[in-house]
Amino acid sequence: SITEHSPTAEHSPTKKHELTFCDTGTLQSPIDINVATCKTKDFPPVTFLDDILFNSEIQYENNCETVKITLIDKTLKPKVQGGALAPGSTYIVDNIHFHWGTKNTEGCEHTIAGKKFPMEAHMVLYKNTSKDFEDALHKKEVAVLGFMFILQAHPNEALHAMVANVTEILQPHTTFKTSGKSLVFLKDYIGSGFYTYTGSLTTHGCAEGVLWTIFKKDIPIGKTQLIIFHDVIGEDAEELQNWRAIKPYNNREVYQSTF
Ligand code: GRE
Ligand code: ZN
């Protein structure tokens, strides 16, 4: 079961949704990854076991909290394995969503040796022994793959399709159905080196027991491409910013891959 702590209203000036109840435990996310004290472990790379995510119809949604990407056919289960994920287990992709800010100097949730990035994507996975994401949350079988974006002057052609799809959902509570091809760029990053630790969701109760993987290879994003995310409109015409500030390390170990 989920480690439960008495929830308190956590007030962060940077994230509107922290005004709602969140966990106050000792395994919260995000953290600043202390690269200097990371222990190294001989992990295999993370891999996609199939191309279901890229060959199927997907939906981009502006739910007024984030841009959330899901498969339209809920019976399709894209599979991921490796890395720090439980050996011998496969994990199913539940959704991909993004965290960003209101300016180019912030927006990521995790920081690496104190360094901030303008955006972070989360690929949310659940172990195939769970029925769905909610079931996995209770069983502590949720894992999240985090991809950091780094700003560059010129657009990244590999992100063109994804960004074009986001322009279709700038208005609050809108959806756009399209091909999973727009996510193919992720294949170039999922096999990179990574950091891993145990933390929490960063919204919606911030339940603990989530296995985090943060890839070391940043995804370049052009300034005009990041503007599209900054232009996503929230409830009541609000400018969205949806990153949670870093939380204490406490006694946690963060491991890194040998590569
Ligand atoms: C979020 O809401 O931001 C979130 C999830 C599930 C896993 C990680 C995460 O809903 O950050
Ligand atoms: Zn997230």
Side-chain angles (χ1 to χ4, degrees), residues 23-247:
D23 201 304
T24 56
T26 55
L27 301 175
Q28 290 289 291
S29 292
I31 58 169
D32 172 45
I33 294 166
N34 187 342
V35 174
T37 61
C38 270
K39 289 183 182 162
T40 297
K41 259 196 194 176
D42 193 17
F43 296 109
V46 181
T47 56
F48 288 111
L49 289 184
D50 53 63
D51 278 329
I52 292 171
L53 185 60
F54 315 109
N55 290 342
S56 307
E57 288 292 295
I58 58 171
Q59 172 176 281
Y60 282 66
E61 178 187 10
N62 171 356
N63 64 9
C64 294
E65 293 183 3
T66 188
V67 167
K68 185 173 179 177
I69 301 170
T70 51
L71 281 145
I72 290 166
D73 181 349
K74 298 298 175 203
T75 67
L76 295 176
K77 295 185 186 307
K79 290 180 181 64
V80 173
Q81 72 173 16
L85 300 171
S89 293
T90 61
Y91 287 70
I92 315 294
V93 179
D94 179 76
N95 75 81
I96 299 166
H97 64 266
F98 302 83
H99 296 270
W100 65 85
T102 57
K103 45 190 181 185
N104 291 351
T105 51
E106 60 185 38
C108 60
E109 297 205 301
H110 291 86
T111 55
I112 301 178
K115 186 178 160 67
K116 288 189 175 196
F117 298 82
M119 191 162 77
E120 180 172 336
H122 289 159
M123 181 181 288
V124 181
L125 311 174
Y126 63 90
K127 216 189 214 176
N128 67 350
T129 46
S130 287
K131 186 163 57 75
D132 54 25
F133 170 76
E134 284 299 325
D135 184 34
L137 202 53
H138 288 283
K139 292 175 169 167
K140 300 195 179 187
E141 291 187 342
V142 169
V144 185
L145 306 180
F147 301 84
M148 310 304 268
F149 289 82
I150 190 160
L151 206 62
Q152 70 178 18
H154 53 283
N156 178 353
E157 183 58 36
L159 302 186
H160 184 82
M162 177 183 79
V163 171
N165 294 334
V166 175
T167 65
E168 301 290 340
I169 55 159
L170 297 181
Q171 296 305 317
H173 300 295
T174 54
T175 59
F176 183 70
K177 290 179 172 52
T178 184
S179 148
K181 278 185 192 62
S182 59
L183 301 176
V184 166
F185 72 90
L186 291 170
K187 289 190 188 187
D188 288 341
Y189 297 91
I190 202 165
S192 84
F194 58 84
Y195 304 101
T196 182
Y197 77 100
T198 299
S200 73
L201 302 188
T202 66
T203 60
H204 301 292
C206 303
E208 296 185 340
V210 172
L211 178 69
W212 281 92
T213 297
I214 305 294
F215 294 108
K216 295 179 183 178
K217 186 178 176 184
D218 312 321
I219 307 177
I221 184 168
K223 287 185 178 179
T224 56
Q225 295 178 315
L226 183 63
I227 286 171
I228 303 303
F229 282 87
H230 287 175
D231 283 349
V232 173
I233 303 166
E235 208 89 59
D236 304 318
E238 229 176 26
E239 183 176 36
L240 276 185
Q241 61 172 327
N242 56 13
W243 58 282
R244 188 186 197 201
I246 60 164
K247 302 297 168 234

